[in-house]
Amino acid sequence: MKKLSLIIIIVICNVFPISAMAQIGGLHLGILAPSSEMSDTYAAGLSFSGDVEIPLTNLLSITVETAVRSWSYQDEVGADEGDQADTYSVGGGAKFFFLRPVYAGVDAMYMFGDFNKFTIKPNVGLRFGKLNIEAVASLSEPVTFIGLEVGYFFLKQ
């Protein structure tokens, strides 16, 4: 599954530039904190994602994203440490740049792997040239989290 997700990220980042539309593509690393019921089982998560943005106007872009997220289990006294839970996702959404460099967006994602769930992931961020800093959240139980992602856009219009 990890190989499949990496292949999807590579394909998205390499195939989309061939089209005639201008794109912005990049990679993100993130730290995730589970919330709600998920925080009872998991301590923290890491994410690696690849995405492509296709600007429709000066203020609005549509997005396509794929990601790998790994969750570590809570430590319990006297229990053997378990393995990590891995989640893969694909989805898309939109970003609205209402006051550059600030933007807000929302993505609809389907997660599969150790979790099979559709979720909505709102986000807000700052874009400074090719550097992207983004706060994200997942709103659908049982995969609820908040996180901070830092990314670099190597494809830029």
Side-chain angles (χ1 to χ4, degrees):
M1 280 297 204
K2 288 182 182 180
K3 287 182 182 179
L4 174 63
S5 293
L6 290 176
I7 290 170
I8 292 170
I9 289 170
I10 291 168
V11 168
I12 285 175
C13 292
N14 286 314
V15 171
F16 277 99
I18 296 171
S19 83
M21 292 187 274
Q23 297 95 24
I24 302 170
L27 299 173
H28 290 82
L29 291 174
I31 298 173
L32 308 172
S35 59
S36 193
E37 293 175 17
M38 192 172 178
S39 64
D40 295 338
T41 307
Y42 301 98
L46 295 175
S47 69
F48 176 69
S49 61
D51 63 325
V52 172
E53 293 179 14
I54 302 170
L56 298 179
T57 69
N58 209 20
L59 300 176
L60 181 66
S61 295
I62 59 172
T63 62
V64 177
E65 178 186 303
T66 185
V68 178
R69 293 177 182 86
S70 292
W71 301 95
S72 61
Y73 287 102
Q74 292 277 7
D75 291 331
E76 295 182 17
V77 176
D80 291 336
E81 280 194 33
D83 202 2
Q84 64 192 28
D86 295 322
T87 303
Y88 312 93
S89 64
V90 292
K95 280 190 172 49
F96 181 68
F97 292 85
F98 55 91
L99 179 61
R100 295 220 183 244
V102 179
Y103 65 87
V106 66
D107 295 315
M109 311 286 298
Y110 179 71
M111 296 185 174
F112 54 97
D114 290 328
F115 302 110
N116 290 309
K117 184 70 177 169
F118 174 81
T119 188
I120 301 296
K121 188 182 84 162
N123 53 72
V124 294
L126 296 168
R127 176 95 34 93
F128 301 106
K130 292 186 174 191
L131 178 66
N132 192 66
I133 302 169
E134 185 172 286
V136 299
S138 174
L139 302 178
S140 301
E141 291 288 348
V143 187
T144 54
F145 60 84
I146 58 173
L148 180 66
E149 296 180 350
V150 176
Y152 181 77
F153 285 93
F154 53 89
L155 299 175
K156 191 99 166 114
Q157 60 176 337

